Amino acid sequence: IRQHGVHPVAVEEPVTIEARRLGHGERVVAEAAATDKVGYYRTEVRLPSAGEWQFTITPGWFPPSVVTAQAVESSPLAGLPRWWVALPALALALGAAANRRRMGWRGLAAGAGVAALVALVLWVRGGTVQAADTVRYGAELFAVKGCVSCHRHADVDVEWSTEIGPTLTAYSMDAEWLRQWLAEPAALRPNTMMPDLELAPHEIEALIAFLQAD
């Protein structure tokens, strides 16, 4: 929790997270506990079913933030590394079957080629889904990380903003510069008002994807 989106602050009121499954009426409420760092709270929310869930985060007396995320069932794409482990076995099996037909190493090569094709299809499908989710995740981070406190973006609705920073709709900036800026703003501009949000690498990449999305 950051005062004006900049300085971490502790609150005496409860910090809660309410999760509602859209269109089904399921509801889960959890209260976050304060950590050793001022302004940092932690909790765990276990969702009872898959589907689209809406999270309302109420940080004490501060205005609540609403985030929509997707909870999905386990799928082959989610366990993609396991496919790679299975590919050699698949290739050998196909090669052995081909060998029975006296195709020898040509059968083994064919088996490996088929396995590689399967892996490529899965990788492409997984990359497509991940790209869309990354942009969406970046938009949600833009709201919950406090970027909306100082910046406007047409794709993120907010009730208020100080707008002391530039509008970031249709923002164009070199990705590597953005990566360094989001990781440590003061290293690039020592007198900046932009706080260090202590973003994880995957959060930085999601924000960059969102800011640079068409």
Side-chain angles (χ1 to χ4, degrees):
I1 303 175
R2 294 177 182 271
Q3 182 80 41
H4 302 303
V6 179
H7 304 292
V9 61
V11 295
E12 296 182 358
E13 294 80 1
V15 176
T16 62
I17 297 179
E18 178 188 50
R20 289 181 179 273
R21 186 181 176 193
L22 302 182
H24 291 77
E26 291 179 284
R27 177 174 176 268
V28 178
V29 178
E31 185 170 320
T35 66
D36 294 337
K37 297 179 66 175
V38 174
Y40 286 76
Y41 296 78
R42 183 184 299 275
T43 191
E44 182 177 283
V45 179
R46 293 182 178 271
L47 304 180
S49 62
E52 191 171 45
W53 288 79
Q54 185 179 78
F55 296 85
T56 300
I57 305 168
T58 306
W61 56 269
F62 285 91
S65 297
V66 178
V67 182
T68 299
Q70 191 76 18
V72 297
E73 299 283 4
S74 297
S75 67
L77 289 179
L80 189 57
R82 290 194 295 272
W83 282 90
W84 291 104
V85 174
L87 288 181
L90 177 60
L92 288 173
L94 292 174
N99 191 43
R100 291 182 180 180
R101 296 176 178 269
R102 298 182 179 180
M103 293 176 65
W105 287 103
R106 288 179 298 172
L108 183 60
V114 171
L117 178 61
V118 171
L120 178 62
V121 171
L122 286 171
W123 181 81
V124 169
R125 288 181 59 198
T128 302
V129 173
Q130 184 180 17
D133 288 348
T134 299
V135 172
R136 180 178 179 179
Y137 180 44
E140 293 167 353
L141 288 172
F142 191 86
V144 299
K145 288 293 184 178
C147 304
V148 293
S149 299
C150 301
H151 302 278
R152 284 284 189 179
H153 194 290
D155 293 335
V156 180
D157 295 327
V158 294
E159 295 181 0
W160 64 274
S161 173
T162 60
E163 297 187 62
I164 60 177
T167 297
L168 298 181
T169 304
Y171 183 71
S172 178
M173 183 59 69
D174 176 70
E176 184 55 35
W177 187 92
L178 265 178
R179 200 167 283 117
Q180 296 178 39
W181 172 252
L182 292 172
E184 193 176 357
L188 297 180
R189 296 178 181 173
N191 297 322
T192 183
M193 294 180 64
M194 170 82 174
D196 183 350
L197 299 177
E198 301 181 34
L199 298 168
H202 71 276
E203 293 175 329
I204 291 175
E205 296 306 317
L207 281 168
I208 291 174
F210 167 63
L211 293 173
Q212 297 190 336
D214 294 332

